């Protein structure tokens, strides 16, 4: 108890406090090798009780492996894990949970066909005789929700919950199992900015209650927003562990990358060329038949990046799908270089120079079980050197894939490796390379840097800028306002399915966009 | 084949580690053989429990199925229809379509071939054979086109439609043969015999081994070519692995579905037609002992791989041929053979669901199509049990 109050009162003194009492978690010399690669190389880490501890690093720096070792999903080759100064062996998640360690994964582990309440109680069902004691579960559920200061629609099926609500449910499940060390693996990557703010509120509250929170991320903004202490990992090693107070994003970014990285170059403004995409009074329904985009009209010119800002779910997804050819609009026209394409198929549009970076990389942008070569070949089916007369030229496809992999610096596999083996950032490079290879006339880029590390983001930004310089028209959708403002020549704001503003690059500030996006201006 | 050098081995969330496990790959042949070995052990236990000499029975089974040229020839004959239905099923499965209606295509194909055989008696033999085979394939393809269109156009679940259309096909052909094409002077429900010119000639004396088996081998090669070398096969494979991805890169899903059902039905129709031209020489009401359903087992056991399908078709052919013969020389009931088949399937399916990592590691390996399913219940098992239950209702093992 005294430890709790000390940690809460003076969170930054965690390091000195550890001399007096053993830290909640101490990892010493943890090493994990995958084949020839050291995922964790003699990692030492101390995390005091209470408070929020961030772990940052590039994709593949070893953050997730380290946390999976702590949670019993990965068996380390060597090294010691101590909880409160006592060495423990954690071989399975069940053992981790028994010791109070819980983990929220990037992809939620919930049963969609069951209700929120049933998911909460799953694994430790309160029962009366052989029957599920629903009332006891409800009482427990309410307690936990009150403890978090949040709410939950307990009878709703998980399939019908929003992503934010699902994540809250995951957290509640950990509390239900009495976890007091909570590990979050990039929890905000799936959340809207609003949901992320809610999450931060919940995390602060839990930290205030003496829980130890470990937060894996690569968004520096988040580190400074909520963490007291931050550990930087690079290539499987801990390179620094420092309090956030007295540090700054630039310094942290340098530690993460290990070198000074060039901040993305704002390309000089070129006068835009002819209109490439003209959208006129476009209205689109979503899968449920709700009109999610109403009477949208805009155009994008050659050599122009148009950013689309908006709260997630304002109609962006439907617009993108209609532009690519995945969704038939209700009314309105889409012209590509002056020719109507509303009824054209995806393939016809792609042949006319439409490229598409999907916001859902794992499910739509790439085919995870297929090889890298197959992923790259997917939009090159009309390339006569790779396939002719209905026959694949496998050798040429492998050569072609290898050239893309090296040109776009995709690391982690050769042409025959499965796409599943790549980290998120490398997979995005592959998708980008595949789409850029064809020098598109219109590029639809939905959240191109989502879940990508600092170095990858810089690279992607450079590629987008180059493509623009080459005369491509581009629609850029992102939840990072900074990215939108930096890259876009013009910004559209979408609110509740309507395009409510059309700003020149100079007129847009995060504050102004924020107001427009929420319908406040 | 797959050089998994995962940058860090840091797995995608929700997946076990994807460390390169060369050991596991060396074990693969063992894994594939596993179901057969375990099935033989369980069969031995059943035999011993019923007071019979297990080793002796197996020896007899082996002799009767592979003991000499005639025995081998008969095993190949028995393997021919299930090789074709296995390929027909596997084409659909690998493309993400759960077509369990090959039995239906087989019936209409068989009827079409028989009709050509007993109607076009004035034409020269080879031409009748050609016409019969083409008609059989077309009939099977058209039959499979029905669920294909329903699926492509209105997203009607193909498991339900294909399964149900099997009964429609069986009963439709039964009606046709009983009411319109009954052979004169015969009490059983059979069509007239096909012209003797139109029968496939045996390649070996005292056997029914015909060119049908060679044609099935050619289809196997074409199957391998389709999925490994052809652009259309690539599109079908991507559709099967990830339909959303396939759509986003511009593959026309509706067209893929139609092509898949046409090809699957075509091969199913061939299976029926060749069975008539090479073995039965007439259409017999309810003639198939479930070739189409055994095809599901063959496709699953063979993991969608052409060589695997060939091997498992030979295995089922040997079982069925040896089992039929063994009855003549011992008091072992045919039910034991059925038990063996069932046990092989059970263990094959356990392997499927227990080793998802092995199946999903590389695209060359085959993954059963994904569809919504209750937890802890794998799709092949669902389909297999549905097919099994359905077939026992219709009495396919009479």
């Amino acid at each position: 108890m005294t430890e709790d109050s000390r940690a809460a009162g003076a969170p930054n003194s965690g390091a000195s406090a550890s001399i007096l009492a053993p830290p909640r978690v101490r990892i010493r010399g943890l090493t994990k090798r995958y084949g020839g690669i050291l995922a964790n190389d003699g990692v030492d880490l101390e995390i005091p009780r209470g408070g929020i501890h961030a772990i940052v690093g590039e994709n593949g720096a070893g953050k997730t492996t380290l946390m999976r070792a702590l949670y019993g999903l990965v068996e380390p080759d060597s090294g010691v894990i101590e909880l409160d100064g006592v060495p423990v062996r954690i071989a399975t998640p069940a053992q981790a949970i028994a010791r109070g360690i819980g983990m929220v994964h990037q992809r939620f582990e919930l049963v969609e066909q069951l209700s929120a309440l049933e998911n909460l109680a799953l694994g430790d069902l309160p029962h009366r005789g052989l029957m599920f004691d629903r009332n006891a579960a409800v009482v427990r559920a309410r307690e936990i929700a009150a403890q978090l200061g949040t709410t939950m629609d307990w009878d709703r099926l998980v399939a019908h919950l929003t992503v934010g609500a699902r994540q809250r449910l995951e957290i509640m499940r950990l509390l239900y199992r009495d976890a007091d060390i909570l590990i979050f693996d990039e929890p905000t990557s799936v959340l809207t900015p609003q949901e992320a703010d809610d999450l931060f509120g919940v995390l602060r509250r839990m930290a205030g209650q003496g829980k130890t929170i470990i937060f894996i991320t690569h968004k520096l903004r988040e580190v400074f927003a909520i963490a007291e202490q931050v550990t930087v990992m690079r290539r499987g090693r801990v390179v620094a562990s420092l309090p956030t107070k007295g540090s700054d994003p630039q310094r942290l970014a340098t530690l993460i990358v290990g070198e000074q990285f060039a901040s993305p170059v704002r390309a000089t403004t070129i006068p835009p060329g002819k209109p490439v995409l003209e959208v006129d009074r476009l209205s689109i329904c979503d899968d449920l038949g709700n009109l999610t985009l109403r009477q949208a009209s805009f155009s994008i010119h050659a050599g122009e990046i148009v950013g689309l800002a908006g709260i997630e779910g304002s109609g962006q997804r439907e617009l993108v799908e209609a532009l690519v050819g995945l969704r038939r609009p209700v009314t309105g026209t889409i012209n590509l270089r002056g020719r109507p394409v509303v009824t054209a198929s995806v393939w016809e549009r792609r042949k006319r120079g439409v490229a598409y970076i999907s916001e859902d990389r794992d499910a739509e942008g790439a085919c995870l079980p297929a090889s890298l070569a197959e992923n790259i070949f997917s939009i090159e089916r009309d390339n006569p050197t790779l396939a002719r007369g209905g026959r694949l030229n496998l050798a040429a496809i492998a050569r072609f894939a290898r050239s893309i992999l090296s040109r776009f610096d995709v690391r982690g596999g050769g042409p025959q490796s499965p796409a599943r083996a790549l980290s998120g950032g490398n997979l995005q490079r592959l998708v980008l390379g595949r789409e850029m290879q064809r020098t598109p006339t219109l590029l639809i880029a939905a959240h191109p840097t989502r879940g990508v590390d600092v170095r990858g983001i810089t690279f992607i930004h450079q590629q987008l800028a180059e493509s623009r310089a080459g005369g491509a028209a581009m629609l850029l959708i992102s939840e990072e306002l900074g990215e939108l403002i930096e890259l876009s020549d013009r910004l559209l704001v979408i609110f509740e399915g309507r395009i409510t503003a059309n700003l020149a690059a100079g007129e847009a500030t995060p504050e102004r966009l924020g107001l427009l996006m929420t319908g406040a201006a | 084949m797959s050089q998994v050098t995962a940058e860090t081995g840091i797995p995608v969330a929700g997946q076990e580690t994807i460390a390169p496990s060369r050991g596991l790959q060396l074990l693969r042949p063992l894994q594939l053989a596993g179901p057969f070995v375990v099935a033989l052990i369980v069969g031995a236990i059943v035999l011993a429990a019923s007071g019979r000499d297990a080793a002796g029975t197996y020896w007899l089974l082996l002799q009767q199925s592979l003991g000499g040229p005639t025995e081998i020839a008969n095993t190949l004959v028995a393997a021919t229809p299930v090789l074709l239905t296995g390929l027909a099923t596997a084409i659909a499965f690998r493309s993400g379509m759960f077509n369990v209606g090959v039995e239906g295509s087989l019936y209409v194909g068989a009827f079409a071939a028989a009709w050509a055989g007993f109607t076009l008696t004035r034409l020269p033999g080879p031409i009748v054979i050609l016409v019969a085979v083409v008609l059989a394939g077309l009939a099977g393809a058209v039959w499979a086109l029905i669920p294909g269109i329903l699926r492509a156009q209105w997203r009607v679940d193909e498991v339900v439609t294909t399964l149900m259309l099997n009964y429609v096909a069986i009963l439709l052909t039964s009606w046709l043969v009983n009411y319109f094409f009954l052979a004169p002077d015969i009490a059983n429900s059979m069509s007239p015999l096909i012209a003797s010119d139109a029968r496939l000639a045996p390649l070996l004396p005292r056997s029914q081994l015909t060119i049908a088996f060679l044609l099935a081998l050619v289809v196997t090669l074409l199957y391998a070519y389709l999925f490994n070398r052809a652009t259309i096969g690539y599109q079908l494979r991507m559709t099967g692995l990830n339909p959303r991805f396939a759509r986003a890169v511009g593959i026309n899903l509706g067209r893929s579905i139609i092509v898949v059902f046409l090809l699957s039905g075509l091969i199913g129709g061939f299976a029926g037609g060749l069975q008539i031209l090479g073995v039965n020489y007439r259409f017999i009401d309810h003639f198939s002992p479930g070739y189409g359903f055994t095809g599901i087992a063959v496709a699953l056991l063979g993991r969608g791989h052409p060589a695997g399908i060939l091997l498992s078709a030979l295995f089922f052919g040997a079982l069925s041929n040896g089992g039929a013969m063994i009855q003549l020389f011992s008091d072992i009931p045919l039910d034991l053979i059925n038990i063996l088949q069932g046990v092989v399937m059970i263990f094959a399916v356990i392997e499927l669901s227990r080793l998802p990592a092995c199946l999903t590691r590389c695209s060359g390996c085959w993954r059963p199509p994904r569809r919504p399913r209750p937890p802890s219940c794998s799709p092949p098992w669902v389909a297999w049990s549905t097919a099994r239950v359905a077939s026992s209702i219709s009495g396919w093992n009479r």
Side-chain angles (χ1 to χ4, degrees):
Chain A
M1 273 299 117
T2 49
E3 269 174 34
D4 289 354
S5 50
R6 193 172 52 228
N12 292 334
S13 61
S16 57
S18 67
I19 302 162
L20 305 172
R24 185 71 182 98
V25 178
R26 178 189 282 157
I27 293 172
R28 285 192 305 189
L30 190 137
T31 298
K32 176 68 191 174
R33 182 186 287 276
Y34 288 106
I37 297 138
L38 273 171
N40 281 167
D41 183 5
V43 170
D44 294 313
L45 180 66
E46 282 189 12
I47 297 175
R49 181 183 289 273
I52 303 176
H53 191 110
I55 299 181
V56 298
E58 288 190 87
N59 290 331
K63 310 174 297 254
T64 305
T65 302
L66 183 63
M67 288 302 117
R68 287 168 74 92
L70 181 56
Y71 186 56
L73 280 170
V74 163
E75 194 181 349
D77 298 329
S78 61
V80 182
I81 296 174
E82 291 176 9
L83 299 180
D84 292 324
V86 182
V88 293
R89 188 171 166 272
I90 303 170
T92 63
Q95 290 173 13
I97 291 167
R99 295 183 188 281
I101 302 172
M103 183 161 179
V104 174
H105 298 272
Q106 278 179 41
R107 278 167 232 186
F108 303 141
E109 300 185 325
L110 296 168
V111 184
E112 296 202 347
Q113 292 89 343
L114 296 182
S115 72
L117 184 72
E118 287 161 338
N119 268 283
L120 180 81
L122 214 59
D124 187 13
L125 289 176
H127 51 85
R128 198 185 293 136
L130 286 174
M131 306 297 287
F132 173 41
D133 188 351
R134 200 173 175 286
N135 293 333
V138 169
V139 170
R140 205 55 222 290
R142 294 222 173 102
E143 271 173 30
I144 290 170
Q147 193 186 340
L148 284 184
T150 169
T151 56
M152 173 64 59
D153 192 350
W154 290 111
D155 291 325
R156 199 172 262 255
L157 293 188
V158 166
H160 299 154
L161 291 178
T162 63
V163 174
R166 288 184 202 199
Q167 190 175 57
R168 257 179 291 140
L169 182 58
E170 282 272 25
I171 297 171
M172 291 181 192
R173 275 180 66 186
L174 300 186
L175 297 181
Y176 182 86
R177 306 295 294 274
D178 295 318
D180 81 330
I181 299 172
L182 294 98
I183 306 166
F184 291 86
D185 191 0
E186 295 181 23
T188 57
S189 61
V190 291
L191 299 183
T192 65
Q194 277 68 26
E195 286 174 328
D197 286 343
D198 292 346
L199 173 69
F200 291 166
V202 167
L203 293 185
R204 284 196 199 98
R205 204 177 165 104
M206 288 196 296
Q209 288 161 358
K211 308 263 185 216
T212 306
I213 290 169
I214 306 173
F215 189 93
I216 302 178
T217 184
H218 44 237
K219 295 184 187 163
L220 299 182
R221 191 167 46 77
E222 293 175 352
V223 173
F224 289 95
I226 62 163
E228 291 109 30
Q229 187 83 12
V230 53
T231 294
V232 182
M233 292 190 70
R234 188 168 73 226
R235 300 191 180 191
R237 293 164 183 262
V238 169
V239 293
S241 199
L242 58 158
T244 49
K245 220 172 256 176
S247 184
D248 61 79
Q250 190 58 41
R251 181 166 168 225
L252 217 50
T254 313
L255 283 170
I256 290 171
V257 181
E259 66 204 46
Q260 285 291 339
F261 65 95
S263 57
V265 272
R266 175 89 183 84
T268 48
T269 30
I270 324 163
K274 287 182 180 165
V276 170
L277 176 75
E278 290 163 291
V279 172
D280 189 32
R281 280 165 292 163
L282 197 66
S283 295
I284 312 171
C285 282
D286 65 7
D287 291 334
L288 303 172
N290 303 317
L291 201 60
T292 43
L293 188 77
R294 297 155 196 257
Q295 303 278 321
S297 300
F298 62 93
S299 62
I300 306 178
H301 297 253
E304 186 185 37
I305 299 182
V306 172
L308 183 64
I311 295 169
E312 177 128 9
S314 301
Q316 300 96 319
R317 180 192 296 246
E318 286 76 17
L319 173 62
V320 164
E321 288 179 345
L323 293 180
V324 177
L326 294 166
R327 186 179 287 278
R328 188 66 75 82
V330 186
T331 57
T333 58
I334 302 170
N335 283 2
L336 190 63
R337 289 201 283 192
R339 291 190 11 222
V341 292
V342 151
T343 55
S345 69
V346 177
W347 186 236
E348 282 162 354
R349 294 186 209 204
R350 278 188 174 277
K351 281 203 284 199
R352 290 197 207 169
V354 175
Y356 172 43
I357 296 173
S358 168
E359 67 175 79
D360 199 343
R361 185 166 55 228
D362 290 353
E364 190 176 69
C367 185
L368 296 185
S371 71
L372 302 188
E374 287 168 336
N375 270 282
I376 290 169
F377 174 69
S378 59
I379 61 167
E380 297 289 339
R381 284 174 286 132
D382 58 346
N383 183 336
T385 55
L386 304 185
R388 185 178 287 181
R391 265 198 77 180
L392 306 175
N393 184 341
L394 295 182
I397 290 173
R399 264 199 309 277
F400 183 79
R402 203 168 286 125
S403 78
I404 299 249
L405 297 183
S406 70
R407 238 182 80 195
F408 289 84
D409 195 22
V410 180
R411 297 182 206 174
Q416 304 310 328
S417 313
R420 195 182 290 290
L422 294 189
S423 66
N426 277 307
L427 192 57
Q428 189 70 338
R429 282 168 186 257
L430 175 120
V431 172
L432 189 79
R434 178 186 75 199
E435 301 291 336
M436 289 302 189
Q437 158 68 22
R438 289 170 76 98
T439 47
T441 51
L442 173 66
L443 174 64
I444 314 280
H447 306 285
T449 58
R450 189 183 261 180
V452 176
D453 58 55
V454 184
R455 195 200 300 263
I457 289 175
T458 312
F459 179 79
I460 290 171
H461 286 176
Q462 279 166 354
Q463 287 294 326
L464 296 182
E466 257 174 49
S467 171
R468 167 182 176 275
M474 195 178 311
L475 180 68
L476 175 68
I477 293 159
S478 174
E479 66 225 347
E480 302 286 337
L481 295 183
E483 176 175 84
L484 277 179
I485 293 171
E486 216 162 76
L487 289 175
S488 305
D489 300 296
R490 205 147 53 79
L491 272 159
L492 302 175
V493 180
I494 189 167
F495 174 67
E496 290 188 343
R498 287 177 202 281
I499 292 184
T500 52
N502 184 346
L503 310 173
E507 301 172 319
T509 60
E511 294 72 30
R512 185 154 177 214
L513 286 178
L515 291 175
L516 286 165
M517 282 163 61
T518 51
Chain B
M1 138 137 209
S2 68
Q3 36 166 140
V4 185
T5 46
E7 181 190 355
T8 57
I10 292 184
V12 195
Q15 269 273 309
E16 288 299 302
T17 54
I18 39 170
S21 44
R22 227 165 267 129
L24 199 68
Q25 287 186 352
L26 289 179
L27 279 176
R28 281 208 77 203
L30 270 183
Q31 285 168 10
L32 295 180
F36 302 101
V37 175
V38 179
L40 292 181
I41 292 170
V42 172
I45 293 170
V46 173
L47 279 170
S50 59
R52 292 182 175 94
D53 170 21
T57 310
Y58 283 148
W59 181 241
L60 195 59
L61 195 59
L62 196 66
Q63 275 188 326
Q64 291 308 320
S65 54
L66 301 169
T70 314
E71 284 79 6
I72 290 177
N74 285 334
T75 290
L76 298 184
V77 171
T80 304
V82 291
L83 174 56
L84 286 170
T85 56
L87 292 168
T89 309
I91 280 190
F93 283 12
R94 284 193 78 175
S95 313
M97 290 294 117
F98 225 86
N99 178 14
V100 290
V102 174
E103 181 85 348
S105 293
L106 176 125
Y107 265 93
V108 295
F111 186 85
W115 178 85
F118 64 71
T119 311
L120 311 172
T121 44
R122 286 190 198 155
L123 294 176
I127 294 189
V128 181
I129 290 174
L130 191 66
V131 170
V133 170
V134 169
L135 274 184
L138 283 181
V142 168
W143 193 256
L145 193 59
I146 302 168
I149 290 175
L150 288 172
R151 170 67 204 250
Q153 208 66 37
W154 295 287
R155 297 188 192 179
V156 182
D157 190 326
E158 77 277 10
V159 178
V160 178
T161 50
T162 54
L163 194 59
M164 291 303 136
L165 277 169
N166 286 335
Y167 305 124
V168 180
I170 294 170
L171 297 173
L172 175 73
T173 50
S174 170
W175 176 65
L176 286 172
V177 75
N178 279 306
Y179 284 80
F180 303 101
F181 298 102
L182 204 58
D185 314 322
I186 281 194
N188 293 335
S189 311
M190 298 179 181
S191 77
L193 283 167
I194 59 174
S196 49
D197 289 3
R199 297 175 195 179
L200 299 178
L203 299 175
L204 277 181
R206 290 190 302 119
S207 84
Q208 287 183 306
L209 183 65
T210 62
I211 194 171
F213 179 71
L214 300 180
L215 286 176
L217 286 182
V218 171
V219 176
T220 313
L221 289 178
L222 289 175
Y223 171 91
Y225 179 86
L226 174 75
F227 281 117
N228 293 326
R229 293 291 164 127
T231 315
I232 179 77
Y234 167 85
Q235 297 186 16
L236 296 183
R237 212 146 46 77
M238 292 302 125
T239 309
L241 290 174
N242 182 349
R244 262 190 83 194
F245 166 81
R247 220 159 88 80
V249 297
I251 293 172
N252 184 333
L253 290 196
R255 204 171 62 193
S256 289
I257 292 170
I258 297 293
V259 167
V260 166
F261 275 93
L262 281 177
L263 287 177
S264 184
L266 185 78
I267 300 174
F270 283 155
L274 291 174
Q275 194 66 9
I276 298 300
L277 300 177
V279 179
N280 292 347
Y281 305 139
R282 64 182 353 150
F283 186 86
I284 308 168
D285 182 12
H286 282 85
F287 80 99
S288 159
Y291 293 129
F293 297 113
T294 308
I296 300 175
V298 168
L300 290 178
L301 257 182
R303 302 287 199 271
H305 191 280
I309 293 172
L310 179 60
L311 284 179
S312 48
L314 291 176
F315 176 80
F316 277 101
L319 264 189
S320 119
N321 175 38
M325 299 308 288
I326 212 170
Q327 284 184 298
L328 304 177
F329 299 103
S330 71
D331 62 341
I332 310 287
L334 185 62
D335 301 303
L336 180 79
I337 305 301
N338 291 335
I339 290 176
L340 280 182
Q341 283 196 9
V343 174
V344 169
M345 269 319 297
I346 290 172
F347 282 94
V349 173
I350 288 174
E351 293 285 319
L352 272 179
S353 49
R354 267 199 55 196
L355 293 166
C358 150
L359 291 170
T360 52
R361 180 167 301 120
C362 61
S363 61
C365 305
W366 171 62
R367 209 159 52 133
R370 268 202 250 172
R371 57 175 36 258
R373 53 181 164 161
S376 77
C377 193
S378 69
W381 178 241
V382 175
W384 170 249
S385 49
T386 346
R388 210 52 173 156
V389 169
S391 61
S392 62
I393 293 169
S394 75
W396 64 300
N397 269 336
R398 275 184 307 187

